[in-house]
Amino acid sequence: MRLLRALKVSLRMNDLKRYTVHIGGIVQGVGMRPHIYKTARQLGLGGWVSNQGTSIIMEIAGSKKAIREFITALLENPPSSAKISNIKIKSKHYKAYKSFSIINSSIENQFQGFIPPDTAICDECIKEIHDKMNRRYMYPFTNCISCGPRYSIIRTLPYDRANTSMSAFEMCPACRSEYENPDNRRFHAQTNCCFDCGPKLVLLDNKGRSIDGIDPVATARQLLREGKLIGIKGIGGYHLACNACDEKVIDLLRKKKRRPDRPLAIMAASLEATKLICRVTDKEEEILMSRQRPIVLLEKRFPELLPHNIAPGMNRMGVMLPYTPLHYLLFHEELQYLIMTSGNISGMPICYKDREVLEKLGNIVDFFLIHDREIFTPIDDSVVRVIDEKEMVIRNARGYSPADLQIDSDSEIMAVSAEQKSSLCLVHKGYVHSAQYMGNLYEMNAYEEYLQVIKRMRVLLGAKSKIIAHDLHTGYHSTQWAIKQPVERIPIQHHHAHMAACMGEHNLKQDVIGIIYDGTGIGTDGAIWGGEFFIGSRGKFSRVGHWKYITLQGGDSAIKEPWKSAVSYLYDMGISSEELLNSINSLKVNVIQNAIKNNVNCFKSSSIGRLFDCVSVLVTKRMHITYDAQAAIELESVIDPDVTDCYPYFIHEKKEKLVIGYEEIILGILQDMKKRKTDSYISAKFHNTVCKATIDCACRIRNRCEIGDIVLGGGVFENTYLLKNMKRGLEECGFNTYYNMKLPINDGGISFGQVVVAAEMIKEGIYVPSGSSKDYNH
């Protein structure tokens, strides 16, 4: 509203005026030019509008009153997918125009603009594909000015058909007529197409041979009903799809995909179908039906309607609704639920190149349903959950990415993330542009695609980063890449980046208490941190508390084999592991114990993630994991929410730091196990203890430093029970509590935090980007 008032003040003086107007934000690929055209024509204004680089430029001429109404309409009622972030208006000598027009785009990019995300099919297009009288009846690539692929098909900006993969498809006369008709909702829709001129579907067997003489969609639907596995090319890559009611084919998919335990996402035919299998709150319904159409983590209904092996041992299920015309056409009265999981071998990036898919997925699927529209940028499905009726993004991808947040910095910075759940951020002209989730960089294919995304984002934004922010860990692929670049670099401590990511999202500028819980991240002392209490700002921090160090053995293998963490904790406490870990060969246990005794391949860790692993081994007997944080996720899933008890704990004071001990907690768990308390009881009691000890520690820190704002960060806070109870307990103690909502609280948000830290260090003079730098104080 301040922007609107300021612009109205400038529209004064003589009655006839002419202005040049620049608009930045998500203003391309969202119907902004047609919207401007129609509004200007309705108000009798003359001039023109054009894409310019990543933004929009226009000239408007006419009466002062009409221009004021035009600006008001533009700011208060933009197209539904648009986001105007800035507007610049400049007065010019009056010149009359006979009419208002849309003119050719220019590549000049002096004004800030954003990259439009891919958008789910709109209601109008859904009606068309089900209307037998419509020429797009059953057309699987129907779209309009308000919906369809954007980011995934853009080669370069400005967003015009020639700069997308739709350049391979010349519009037929009927589509061209719609494109040129101001009264048609496909007026200047760059992806406009139909059966006659647009992309085509083809069904292949898993050897790549075309199956001719059939309707590809109808045949694929029948094959799914019969229990076949199909690789389906979508907006940002391939899905592996099968009938979600068929337990046997789900088991087969898990075996072929090498994904024995991790929950599989499903696509439900409708909201009504979703409500039969899950409980859906009002906010969850809103998100399911939104134009982003993410996977939403929903509470299961019991007894389960669908097979148990979709999300084994979980009380939640990831569900999304159809978001392309093809998805809608695949469903049928007898086919209401599909497994729709990423088209890859577990741990690898999503497949999106047609020439590679046969090699990589041919041994998994029976058939492929593919199309000939090229995907330039692969992008997976986003994942969100709802906490206290507010959306929390877990995986930032299709529909949400690229994400754009304003930042108080003139520096051109690139942040390259960590190693897992990698992402990328570029600061350009005062905005942070956050790229999509790209997986784990220790997988070579993921790392190669990560490098490609760096190139694409630079090209699309026209950004030339002069500073790179990276993690302290020199073993990370992202750090190693950053070190090789011929620009200045700022190393950022991992957990400080988590803290700063939350501060940046919520625009917190005063000192805060940071509680950062995750699995791993190298500390300034060379140890592995992950149970941290900081006080500090965006630019610097002090470590004022942590969970007690434990000597862990085995490096990354201790993460994949949680029993090794349990051996480490029990050995440190002088407790025999043999009876407690009787499913593990005693020779293996002895090897770990001797390695700890002799300090062979050992490291100190304050990670609460490893404490969760230890407790999971003791309580749920999860000795090995097949996906990230599996042990902790399963431990949370068995919680009895009615239990309010806690275990004893002790907070030590060492060299002005508070250190939370784990010994009393583990001893309490072992005593309850001897009493044959249920797993649900012990899990709840353990979670309650972590909450209570954390809140106790936070209160003691506040007594010392008089800081009342707390930020929570790190992947451990994906634990819904922990986050909700921690937040409630802190607020009952008078704290203002914040955590990431728009960007992931896990390592997917690290790159944004790195950007925030680097920008603040430059601003405060902690780092001087002239080649010299001051120490990074902790």
Side-chain angles (χ1 to χ4, degrees), residues 566 570 580-581 613-623 666 669-670 673 679:
L570 295 171
L580 296 168
L581 307 179
D613 283 349
C614 171
V615 174
S616 299
V617 167
L618 297 175
V619 178
T620 65
K621 308 303 180 185
R622 170 55 69 183
M623 303 296 169
I666 292 176
I669 289 171
L670 295 177
M673 289 172 63
D679 294 355

Side-chain angles (χ1 to χ4, degrees), residues 488-503:
E488 297 187 58
R489 299 177 299 276
I490 304 179
I492 309 293
Q493 200 282 320
H494 187 90
H495 302 91
H496 187 202
H498 272 306
M499 183 175 87
C502 182
M503 295 183 72

Side-chain angles (χ1 to χ4, degrees), residues 415-423 439-444 447 450-451 454 468-485 489-498 518-523 526-530 555-556 559 603 605 607 610 628 746-748 750-751 754:
V416 295
S417 192
E419 186 81 346
Q420 296 185 355
K421 300 179 176 68
S422 63
S423 61
N440 302 327
L441 297 186
Y442 52 73
E443 297 288 353
M444 185 52 63
Y447 178 63
Y450 168 83
L451 297 181
I454 290 176
I468 295 178
H470 60 82
D471 197 275
L472 287 180
H473 200 309
T474 55
Y476 287 170
H477 286 75
S478 57
T479 302
Q480 292 172 1
W481 180 84
I483 290 170
K484 295 175 184 177
Q485 305 311 303
R489 299 177 299 276
I490 304 179
I492 309 293
Q493 200 282 320
H494 187 90
H495 302 91
H496 187 202
H498 272 306
D518 66 1
T520 186
I522 196 165
I528 300 299
W529 292 1
D556 288 343
I559 298 173
F603 57 94
S605 174
S607 167
R610 302 291 76 81
D628 183 43
N746 56 42
D747 278 11
I750 281 286
S751 60
Q754 290 170 340

Side-chain angles (χ1 to χ4, degrees), residues 499 502-503 506 508 511-516 533-534 694-695 697-699 701-702 707-713 717 726-727 730-731 733-739:
M499 183 175 87
C502 182
M503 295 183 72
H506 292 282
L508 302 176
D511 283 2
V512 301
I513 298 171
I515 301 174
I516 314 301
F533 293 82
F534 294 165
T694 302
I695 294 166
C697 200
C699 289
I701 293 170
R702 180 175 60 184
I707 296 174
D709 290 339
I710 281 189
V711 302
L712 306 176
F717 285 113
M726 191 92 73
K727 179 176 181 289
L730 288 166
E731 290 175 349
C733 291
F735 286 101
N736 302 312
T737 308
Y738 304 89
Y739 54 90

